[in-house]
């Protein structure tokens, strides 16, 4: 057997566990999910009936889905932008030595170690107007704010998402800064570049692939937001904070309309998939981020 | 389409958008031989007071009658949040994994296709309204386990002080005039109508009455949650409305429904409830009453025991009392158990259901912390929970159940979604009720 044949064979042998895993747990379920969207399957009518594109049409013309899509997009853009900027700032801050750095670093990572649903329950207790610590502290300084009131609930959800997920963006960008070539910075220093100039002209451009990676991962995750919002608001008042995930969950498990829920899931996937190659190209291709 | 494929498909579809889906499988089985009338019976329940109480009943059954019948009941407690969604997935997959499902009045119509009607279980000892709420197309699909109704829980000390201090009445009348456009005297809680409720909410709120002993008069459970529709339904029914006309048409676009929404929005917009009420449900209401910041609230009967417990509610225990819901209408729903149509051990499961329908089993259930749907047991067990006799009386006198149809569960959800904005003044009542009515009409089919 030639070396080339052996090499090709070993690639398949070594890659086969992953391929099998992907086929069973990704490809087949995605196929089934898409297929379910073409059937009128509900708890009231467990006998499936092929309905073609009807479920997709129903979802796309449902004002509830469109409102959920709009809210989700705005929410995702807002939190992604804030978390990326804050994460980058924190990464710059931590990328230097200072007393208590390890403790600070550990504290920063705590929110992403807590299950989102549990975090939702914690926030619900902490922010409760009658027994919560936060409103009590705010009242102590003369601020009688109702955090769950209709006009404050959206900013509150954004804030909570930022608190929870900024550490994730930070972690990615901190890892990027750790592998940053120090000789480039030293050269800039020798040339007399100040901190801001170094940041603007050297650090940010060279970190662009990392920043895009953080942006991409956070954006995708933010579009899938479910746990904390569901625990705190269940999508209300009205449909004001209904995300697409909540819409799909309610369609499937409150309305029992599995076909519609699968169609909605498929639509979300189809809308998101074209963005993947664009981001991958920016992340993976040297110079593409310029 | 294969059932297992469907379950995996849904799981993935939801995972794509971040839901943590539940999964089921066709694997397993009850462990007993089909039709043998013995073996293992698998049952689903949710955790909390019902699950805790049931586990003791199951233990007693397994050690006693079950042993004689050669039946062992195994109970699985799913999470309180996800029990119904996980069951729905199992049902959609036509799973035989569980023999007995945990259901409720509000979803029995939706699940009926996956359940067997109970034809041999004696339901004569239960509240008729609880049994009726579990009937679909004249067939009984589930056996009541725990009954829930609503009460007005109020600070008796504060209301009694107001009633006994006539010098405060002119000030109360002035507050009532501003709140409901009518000067009226304060009344005992058992005599309140919705105008009294509104006027009292204003009186016990700092915004309308700076000398109020509480920050807010009441707390509204106004979160966009189907269970909150049940509470609001009391206002609707108590104002002379209902979901449907006698001939079964949607009936939410009516003056009675507008009045019911108006009660909520008036209280909310004027600050006679916390602005956080827009996201409140059962636990927030408990917290508000427990903290002593709120004078009264509509609450599920299950909430009283904790509030009357000195260790759990030291600030208010002994000060709270129960009165009928203003308007004298209380929503009744039963949490129940039902037979899986695809069970392979139906005979044994039915034997256990027959056991649950006895007074002995439900007495054990009450002793273990449940609220059984049997009036005679509630009367007999007043020493366990002083609210039991009042629950029995209230359900008997004022109880109603909403129509059972395949989409009852969705209807609760859609009404909450359509009206929760209007409840807190984010939307006008008229358009919100039209939306709710249209949604209900569609769901009624």
């Amino acid at each position: 057997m030639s070396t080339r044949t052996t090499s090709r064979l070993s690639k398949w042998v070594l890659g086969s566990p992953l391929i099998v895993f992907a086929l069973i747990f990704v490809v087949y379920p995605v196929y089934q999910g898409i297929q379910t969207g073409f059937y009128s399957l509900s708890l009231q009518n467990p006998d499936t009936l092929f309905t073609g594109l009807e479920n997709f049409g129903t979802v796309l013309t449902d004002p509830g889905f469109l409102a959920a899509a709009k809210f989700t997009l705005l929410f995702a853009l807002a939190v992604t932008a804030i978390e990326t900027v804050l994460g980058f700032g924190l990464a710059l801050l931590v990328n230097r030595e200072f007393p208590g750095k390890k403790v600070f670093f550990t504290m920063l990572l705590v929110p992403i170690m807590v299950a989102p649903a549990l975090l939702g329950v914690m926030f619900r207790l902490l922010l409760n107007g009658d027994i919560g610590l936060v409103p009590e502290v705010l009242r102590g300084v003369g601020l009688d704010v109702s955090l769950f009131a209709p006009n404050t609930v959206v900013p509150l959800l954004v804030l909570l998402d930022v608190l929870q997920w900024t550490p994730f963006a930070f972690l990615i960008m901190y890892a990027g800064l750790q592998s940053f070539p120090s000789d480039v910075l030293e050269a800039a220093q020798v040339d007399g570049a100040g901190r801001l100039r170094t940041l603007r002209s050297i650090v940010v451009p060279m970190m662009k692939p990392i920043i895009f990676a953080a942006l991409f991962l956070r954006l995708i995750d933010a579009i899938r937001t479910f746990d904390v919002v569901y625990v705190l608001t269940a999508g209300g008042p009205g449909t004001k904070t209904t995300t697409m995930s909540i819409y799909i969950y309610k369609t499937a498990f409150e309305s029992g309309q599995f076909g519609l829920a699968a169609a909605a899931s498929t639509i979300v996937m189809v809308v998101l998939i074209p963005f993947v190659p664009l981001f991958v190209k920016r992340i993976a291709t040297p110079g593409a981020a310029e | 389409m294969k059932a297992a494929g469907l379950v995996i498909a849904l799981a993935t579809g939801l995972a794509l958008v971040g839901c943590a889906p539940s999964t089921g499988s066709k694997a397993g089985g009850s462990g007993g031989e089909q039709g043998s009338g013995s073996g293992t019976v698998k049952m689903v329940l949710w955790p909390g007071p019902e699950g805790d109480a049931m586990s003791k009943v199951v233990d007693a059954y397994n050690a006693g009658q079950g042993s004689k019948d050669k039946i062992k009941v195994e109970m699985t407690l799913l999470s309180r949040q996800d029990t119904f969604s996980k069951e729905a997935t199992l049902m959609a997959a036509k799973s035989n994994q569980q023999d007995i499902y945990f259901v409720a009045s509000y979803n029995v119509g939706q699940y009926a296709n996956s359940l067997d009607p109970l034809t041999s279980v004696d339901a004569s000892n239960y509240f008729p309204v609880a049994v009726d709420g579990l009937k679909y197309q004249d067939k009984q699909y589930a056996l009541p386990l725990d009954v829930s109704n609503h009460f007005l829980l109020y600070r008796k000390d504060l209301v009694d002080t107001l009633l006994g201090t006539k010098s405060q009445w002119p000030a109360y009348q002035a507050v009532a005039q501003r709140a409901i456009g009518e000067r009226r005297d304060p009344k005992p809680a058992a005599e309140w109508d919705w105008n009294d409720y509104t006027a009292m909410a204003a009186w016990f709120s700092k915004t309308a009455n700076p000398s109020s002993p509480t920050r807010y008069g009441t707390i509204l459970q106004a979160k966009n949650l189907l269970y909150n529709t049940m509470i609001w339904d009391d206002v609707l029914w108590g104002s002379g409305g209902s979901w449907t006309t006698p001939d079964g048409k949607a009936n939410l676009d009516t003056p009675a429904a507008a009045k019911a929404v108006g009660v909520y929005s008036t209280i909310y917009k004027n600050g006679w409830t916390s602005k956080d009420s827009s996201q409140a449900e059962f636990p927030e209401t408990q917290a508000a009453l427990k903290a002593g910041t709120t004078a009264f609230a509509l609450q599920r009967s299950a909430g009283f025991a904790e509030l009357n417990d000195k260790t759990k509610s030291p600030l208010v225990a002994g000060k709270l009392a129960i009165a009928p819901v203003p308007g004298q209408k209380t929503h009744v729903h039963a949490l129940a158990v039902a037979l899986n149509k695809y069970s392979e051990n139906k005979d044994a499961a039915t034997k256990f259901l027959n056991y649950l329908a006895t007074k002995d089993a439900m007495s054990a259930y009450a002793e273990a912390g449940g609220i059984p749907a049997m009036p005679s047991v509630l009367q007999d067990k007043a020493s366990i929970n002083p609210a039991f006799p009042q629950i029995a009386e209230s359900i008997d006198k004022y109880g109603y159940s909403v129509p059972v149809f395949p989409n009852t569960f969705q209807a609760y959800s859609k009404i909450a979604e359509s009206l929760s904005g209007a409840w807190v003044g984010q939307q006008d009542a008229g358009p919100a009720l039209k939306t709710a009515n249209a949604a209900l009409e569609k769901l009624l089919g």
Side-chain angles (χ1 to χ4, degrees):
Chain A
M1 198 179 289
S2 70
T3 312
R4 197 173 167 183
T5 309
T6 309
S7 169
R8 194 182 297 163
L9 191 65
S10 64
K11 262 194 266 182
W12 283 104
V13 170
L14 291 172
S16 58
L18 184 62
I19 291 167
V20 170
F21 184 88
L23 283 173
I24 294 173
F25 293 105
V26 181
V27 177
Y28 177 70
V30 167
Y31 164 74
Q32 286 287 348
I34 294 168
Q35 192 188 32
T36 305
F38 291 93
Y39 286 82
S40 71
L41 179 65
S42 69
L43 280 178
Q44 291 84 358
N45 182 17
D47 298 322
T48 54
L49 184 71
F50 183 76
T51 53
L53 293 170
E54 191 181 320
N55 285 336
F56 295 89
T58 305
V59 169
L60 286 171
T61 54
D62 179 4
F65 178 76
L66 299 176
K70 185 181 172 188
F71 173 74
T72 305
L73 188 65
L74 292 174
F75 178 82
L77 288 174
V79 299
T80 303
I82 297 169
E83 287 159 15
T84 307
V85 170
L86 284 179
F88 188 58
L90 281 170
L92 289 173
L93 180 71
V94 177
N95 192 37
R96 60 181 65 196
E97 292 305 318
F98 58 88
K101 177 181 169 179
K102 281 184 182 170
V103 176
F104 183 67
F105 194 98
T106 307
M107 296 296 286
L108 268 179
L109 299 185
V110 168
I112 51 174
M113 295 174 189
V114 182
L118 180 60
L119 213 63
V121 175
M122 281 167 50
F123 286 139
R124 196 168 154 186
L125 288 170
L126 276 171
L127 306 177
N128 182 289
D130 292 296
I131 57 168
L133 179 67
V134 174
E136 193 58 35
V137 169
L138 290 175
R139 271 195 290 274
V141 295
L143 286 171
D144 197 358
V145 184
S146 293
L147 297 166
F148 289 117
N151 57 344
T152 53
V153 73
V154 175
L156 175 71
L157 293 176
V158 170
L159 175 67
L160 297 182
D161 196 89
V162 167
L163 283 174
Q164 186 185 3
W165 290 113
T166 297
F168 179 77
F170 152 77
L171 202 59
I172 291 175
M173 287 187 271
Y174 180 71
L177 285 176
Q178 288 290 293
S179 57
F180 202 87
S182 57
D183 53 340
V184 179
L185 295 176
E186 284 161 10
Q189 204 172 12
V190 170
D191 289 345
R195 280 187 181 175
L196 268 179
R197 181 62 194 265
T198 305
L199 181 68
R200 186 160 54 89
S201 303
I202 297 173
V203 178
V204 172
M206 290 185 72
M207 282 284 288
K208 268 189 181 174
I210 306 291
I211 294 170
F212 271 110
L215 261 173
F216 175 65
L217 292 172
R218 274 309 302 138
L219 187 66
I220 293 294
D221 207 37
I223 285 171
R224 303 187 309 168
T225 295
F226 178 79
D227 311 66
V228 173
V229 179
Y230 187 74
V231 170
L232 292 179
T233 73
T239 53
K240 189 171 182 169
T241 60
T242 300
T243 63
M244 285 191 289
S245 300
I246 292 175
Y247 174 91
I248 291 166
Y249 176 85
K250 287 188 170 183
T251 303
F253 296 116
E254 286 187 7
S255 298
Q257 302 288 341
F258 294 106
L260 281 177
S265 300
T266 305
I267 290 167
V268 175
M269 184 181 72
V270 167
V271 169
L272 289 180
I273 277 181
F275 292 99
V276 176
L278 293 176
F279 276 100
V280 169
K281 190 180 171 190
R282 282 195 167 261
I283 293 163
T285 312
E290 295 299 325
Chain B
M1 189 182 303
K2 287 182 181 173
L6 160 70
V7 173
I8 297 172
L10 263 173
T12 304
L14 286 164
L16 287 169
V17 287
C19 300
S22 51
T23 55
S25 80
K26 282 193 72 135
S30 59
E33 289 176 28
Q34 186 174 10
S36 70
S38 61
T40 304
V41 171
K42 293 192 173 181
M43 175 173 67
V44 182
L45 228 72
W46 68 16
E50 300 85 9
D52 293 346
M54 189 56 148
S55 68
K56 289 178 183 162
V57 175
V58 166
D59 289 346
Y61 176 77
N62 286 340
Q65 185 64 39
S67 178
K68 289 179 198 163
D69 295 342
K70 295 182 180 171
I71 293 171
K72 186 184 178 198
V73 178
E74 285 182 2
M75 188 169 73
T76 303
L77 294 177
L78 300 174
S79 84
R80 207 166 167 96
Q81 192 85 7
D82 293 332
T83 295
F84 292 136
S85 56
K86 287 184 175 163
E87 286 188 336
T89 310
L90 291 172
M91 288 176 192
K94 300 180 182 175
S95 167
N96 63 0
Q97 197 176 331
Q98 301 292 337
D99 302 301
I100 297 175
Y101 282 126
F102 184 58
V103 301
S105 311
Y106 43 82
N107 57 23
V108 73
Q110 186 182 35
Y111 294 166
N113 267 320
S114 305
L115 307 173
D116 261 0
L118 303 178
T119 53
S120 63
V121 178
D122 177 13
S124 60
N125 289 324
Y126 293 98
F127 287 110
V129 68
V131 175
D132 289 346
L134 296 166
K135 280 183 180 169
Y136 173 58
Q137 293 180 337
D138 295 329
K139 290 178 184 167
Q140 190 191 339
Y141 276 92
L143 188 69
L145 187 65
D146 210 276
V147 71
S148 178
N149 70 308
H150 305 149
F151 282 124
L152 173 70
L153 301 187
Y154 70 102
R155 285 285 297 276
K156 190 171 187 314
D157 56 331
L158 303 181
V159 173
D160 284 353
T161 301
L162 171 63
L163 292 172
T165 314
K166 288 212 167 182
S167 60
Q168 290 188 353
W169 288 22
Y172 177 84
Q173 289 165 351
V175 167
Q177 174 73 46
R178 289 195 296 275
I180 58 173
E182 178 191 329
R183 292 179 79 82
R184 57 167 66 182
D185 292 338
K187 295 178 196 164
E191 297 170 22
W192 290 2
D193 60 19
W194 288 111
N195 277 336
D196 293 307
Y197 184 94
T198 307
M200 281 286 184
W203 174 256
F204 285 112
S205 294
K206 296 277 187 196
T207 52
N209 172 21
S211 61
S212 164
T214 51
R215 197 184 307 153
Y216 301 110
T218 189
I219 176 166
L220 302 173
Q221 298 190 30
K223 189 176 185 176
N224 173 9
L225 199 68
L226 62 96
Y227 302 104
N228 287 346
T229 301
M230 297 173 189
I231 300 271
W232 178 78
D233 277 348
D234 290 347
V235 193
L236 175 65
W237 258 258
S239 302
S242 69
W243 279 14
T244 53
T245 58
D247 58 345
K249 297 268 192 300
N251 194 36
L252 286 176
D253 191 12
T254 61
K259 186 183 169 191
V261 171
V263 169
Y264 268 41
S265 61
T266 299
I267 289 171
Y268 188 86
K269 285 192 282 191
N270 284 293
W272 304 332
T273 179
S274 159
K275 293 292 177 196
D276 286 353
S277 286
S278 60
Q279 301 303 342
E281 51 177 306
F282 180 90
E284 283 77 7
T285 304
Q286 290 290 95
L289 290 170
K290 199 185 281 193
T293 55
T294 299
F296 55 85
L298 300 185
Q299 182 62 307
R300 290 173 168 75
S301 47
F304 179 72
E306 182 191 17
L307 294 167
N308 202 37
D309 184 326
K310 282 183 181 166
T311 55
K312 292 178 180 169
S313 309
L315 288 176
V316 297
K319 296 176 182 172
L320 280 163
I322 288 173
V325 172
Q328 278 74 45
K329 289 286 182 186
T330 177
H331 179 284
V332 175
H333 75 257
L335 300 170
V337 281
L339 189 58
N340 179 7
K341 184 178 175 177
Y342 304 103
S343 161
E344 290 179 354
N345 207 9
K346 287 182 190 173
D347 287 347
T350 304
K351 280 184 188 170
F352 178 61
L353 291 176
N354 274 313
Y355 169 79
L356 285 182
T358 62
K359 284 187 184 177
D360 283 349
M362 285 299 97
S363 294
Y365 184 75
E367 284 162 11
I371 306 177
M374 281 187 186
S376 58
V377 173
L378 290 178
Q379 294 289 1
D380 292 347
K381 298 291 174 186
S383 57
I384 297 170
N385 183 340
F388 275 177
Q390 284 164 289
I391 292 171
E393 184 189 358
S394 182
I395 291 174
D396 186 43
K397 279 188 182 171
Y398 312 121
Y400 68 91
S401 60
V402 302
V404 177
F405 52 104
N407 297 316
T408 308
F409 199 55
Q410 295 97 302
Y412 278 115
S413 183
K414 278 289 173 192
I415 291 170
E417 184 182 300
S418 306
L419 298 185
S420 57
W423 291 341
V424 297
Q426 287 285 291
Q427 195 185 356
D428 289 337
L433 284 166
K434 281 190 193 308
T435 304
N437 202 57
L440 182 59
E441 190 69 59
K442 197 175 166 186
L443 292 169
L444 284 164

